Amino acid sequence: MNYARFLTAVSAARQPSPIRAMTDLLMRSPPTVISLAGGIPNPDTFPFKAASITLNDGTAIEIGDGLMKKALQYNSTSGIPELVSWLKDLQKKLHNPPTLDYSPEKGQMELCVTTGSQEGLSKVFEMLVNPGDNVLLDAPTYSGTLAAVKPLGCNLIGVPTDQHGIIPTALKDILSRWRPEDATNPEKNSPKVLYTIPNGGNPTGASLTEERKIEIYQIARKYDLIIVEDDPYYFLQFNKPWAPSFLSMDVDGRVIRADSMSKILSSGIRIGFLSGPKPLIDRIILHMQVSTLQTSTFTQIMTYQLLQKWGVEGFLKHIDRVIDFYKSQRDAMLASADKWLTGLAEWHSPSAGMFLWIKIKGVPDTHQMIMQKAISNQVLLVPGSAFNTNSSEPSSYVRASFSLSSPEQMDLVSKMLQ
Ligand code: PMP
Ligand code: PLP
């Protein structure tokens, strides 16, 4: 892979911050090293002393005086080393990326902790997307992604999807405007980036099948695309075995995968992680060195203490409980839709995530309908247009999230949509 051709001028110009490099060095040094180097505040002056965090099972995570000092302090930009190492082992177990043992000329896989996957994704876009670039993405797609990418001045090309995500033949059709060799000719402006949500897509609830992923990966090879795999609902796949990820198929080092703890541990602790080719992840880390500096050490330590206590097995057991919850919520949502909306609307049963994507028959634009219903009934749904690359384009869909409501409330909403 020639990663240089994918980088924006801003990203390519990033230089390591000498002081952050020293902080990283200090974190890896034995505690006996006396450092007068970093501008590190003295934690003895901080007002927080210790913490005990009670878990749902009645046990607790103890953060005593010593660990608390660490939790309140700066740490490595890429994440506290013990959490990074735990997450690397997890990625190896779940995805076993072929790039893990890469030869030096192809670049190794790297992982960094981010302040939620959204931070990682926005930095990925700023690294890869130049004004005027053609960027491929699921149509429709997550509004947070649209908000991050649009201001970069690129041209968004929505790739048609169905309940199984991106339709490979549609992707081929779009790319047939270019020849594979155009990738090396900047004047041809062939797309360089394909962004996709492979499981329980936001807003459509769609999940790519393994066959489609294999086909899409081959297309990405042909046209030399980087695949940005935004997979926050990976752990909310209702059926086992889980579909293999793009990362698991990535023989070239062309996949950047964004994972998130938001839907399984907490959305407020802001922990996500990026996995991908080292030359690209290193650019993201340089960006973090001048922005967040790092994800909160406190939430990283809290997360690591939990994961270490659980082990991978305990973590996956927790995931099973989360899946059971969302699956029964999904079933309740489907039951209420069946009861009130049969014949009036169309939907498919999502196999992952927390969204039902409902097409209201005979309503070309759901925006106004939602506004009226929201005011009169105090019910909120998102109109489909919010997820169009061009948000002024109308949509006959609404997105219903079944994460928070009770079956009774879902029933009420479905009835109201009649
Ligand atoms: N600005 C200046 C001048 C600083 O010295 C520092 C900390 N070394 C920062 C910003 C970063 O501060 P924070 O940890 O709040 O991001
Ligand atoms: N990507 C998608 C597709 C999402 O739906 C969300 C959250 O709604 C995010 C990213 C952001 O996740 P995080 O909380 O990890 O930043």
Side-chain angles (χ1 to χ4, degrees):
M1 294 282 296
N2 168 19
Y3 294 114
R5 96 169 179 87
F6 292 96
L7 300 181
T8 59
V10 173
S11 185
R14 292 191 189 284
Q15 295 288 331
S17 135
I19 292 181
R20 280 310 283 178
M22 256 180 210
T23 309
D24 284 15
L25 191 68
L26 184 66
M27 291 311 145
R28 291 187 175 94
S29 310
T32 47
V33 170
I34 300 169
S35 170
L36 302 188
I40 292 176
N42 191 321
D44 292 340
T45 65
F46 296 160
F48 310 101
K49 190 166 170 60
S52 173
I53 299 157
T54 312
L55 304 178
N56 278 333
D57 66 4
T59 63
I61 292 170
E62 302 295 345
I63 303 181
D65 295 16
L67 190 56
M68 193 64 165
K69 281 193 177 145
K70 182 174 165 181
L72 298 174
Q73 192 56 275
Y74 289 124
N75 207 297
S76 297
T77 305
S78 58
I80 60 170
E82 53 273 41
L83 180 60
V84 169
S85 161
W86 200 96
L87 293 172
K88 278 184 176 169
D89 287 348
L90 181 73
Q91 295 303 65
K92 184 164 172 54
K93 188 176 160 65
L94 296 176
H95 307 286
N96 196 19
T99 41
L100 208 59
D101 301 312
Y102 245 10
S103 55
E105 69 273 12
K106 283 193 168 179
Q108 288 174 319
M109 197 190 105
E110 191 49 278
L111 183 146
C112 76
V113 176
T114 55
T115 300
S117 61
Q118 182 82 39
E119 188 213 358
L121 289 164
S122 70
K123 289 185 161 61
V124 167
F125 299 136
E126 288 181 33
M127 170 175 69
L128 300 176
V129 179
N130 276 302
D133 277 2
N134 288 306
V135 174
L136 301 160
L137 30 67
D138 306 333
T141 196
Y142 172 46
S143 46
T145 294
L146 293 172
V149 186
K150 273 186 184 173
L152 302 176
C154 56
N155 174 36
L156 299 179
I157 305 182
V159 186
T161 60
D162 60 20
Q163 72 177 92
H164 303 298
I166 284 178
I167 303 166
T169 49
L171 178 61
K172 272 187 202 156
D173 276 356
I174 289 170
L175 283 165
S176 67
R177 290 184 227 161
W178 291 273
R179 293 170 310 159
E181 33 312 355
D182 290 346
T184 49
N185 181 352
E187 277 173 22
K188 300 286 183 184
N189 201 16
S190 68
K192 291 184 286 193
V193 175
L194 168 66
Y195 164 88
T196 187
I197 307 167
N199 293 296
N202 187 353
T204 61
S207 295
L208 279 169
T209 59
E210 179 178 2
E211 292 70 30
R212 282 200 183 180
K213 278 188 194 151
I214 292 170
E215 214 176 322
I216 292 166
Y217 189 81
Q218 289 311 323
I219 298 169
R221 292 192 94 176
K222 186 169 163 191
Y223 286 91
D224 199 18
L225 306 174
I226 284 191
I227 298 176
V228 179
E229 176 173 50
D230 177 13
D231 208 355
Y233 307 103
Y234 173 78
F235 293 109
L236 301 189
Q237 294 182 69
F238 305 139
N239 307 316
K240 299 263 178 66
W242 290 341
S245 62
F246 281 113
L247 184 68
S248 76
M249 306 173 178
D250 188 18
V251 287
D252 298 333
R254 62 175 68 256
V255 173
I256 303 177
R257 177 180 168 82
D259 278 283
S260 175
M261 292 297 189
S262 287
K263 276 73 190 186
I264 48 176
L265 295 187
S266 152
S267 42
I269 56 170
R270 308 304 301 133
I271 304 261
F273 45 109
L274 286 176
S275 313
K278 185 168 163 50
L280 295 180
I281 302 295
D282 282 350
R283 292 280 117 198
I284 305 278
I285 294 170
L286 292 181
H287 192 171
M288 288 165 68
Q289 282 187 0
V290 296
S291 54
T292 55
L293 295 187
Q294 56 167 102
T295 294
S296 157
T297 317
F298 185 86
T299 62
Q300 288 192 71
I301 286 197
M302 178 174 144
T303 302
Y304 175 67
Q305 292 295 104
L306 177 71
L307 294 175
Q308 187 197 31
K309 181 179 155 85
W310 274 348
V312 171
E313 215 172 290
F315 173 70
L316 294 175
K317 262 195 200 137
H318 167 73
I319 302 290
D320 282 342
R321 290 190 290 271
V322 180
I323 289 174
D324 284 347
F325 170 79
Y326 282 104
K327 198 174 179 180
S328 79
Q329 291 287 103
R330 188 260 330 246
D331 291 343
M333 186 79 227
L334 289 174
S336 76
D338 278 341
K339 184 168 155 195
W340 298 108
L341 298 173
T342 300
L344 303 173
E346 288 168 6
W347 60 89
H348 67 85
S349 168
S351 61
M354 47 177 73
F355 303 115
L356 189 68
W357 185 235
I358 306 170
K359 182 179 185 177
I360 316 280
K361 288 189 189 170
V363 177
D365 183 4
T366 53
H367 185 83
Q368 208 181 355
M369 181 190 100
I370 301 262
M371 289 306 154
Q372 277 170 356
K373 304 251 182 196
I375 294 161
S376 55
N377 297 295
Q378 296 180 320
V379 169
L380 272 180
L381 288 155
V382 185
S385 53
F387 308 98
N388 283 340
T389 49
N390 173 3
S391 61
S392 54
E393 215 172 86
S395 164
S396 2
Y397 287 86
V398 299
R399 187 193 76 178
S401 166
F402 47 81
S403 52
L404 275 181
S405 327
S406 66
E408 294 72 30
Q409 290 170 323
M410 292 181 208
D411 212 48
L412 218 65
V413 172
S414 297
K415 188 176 173 191
M416 185 216 82
L417 275 177
Q418 278 190 308

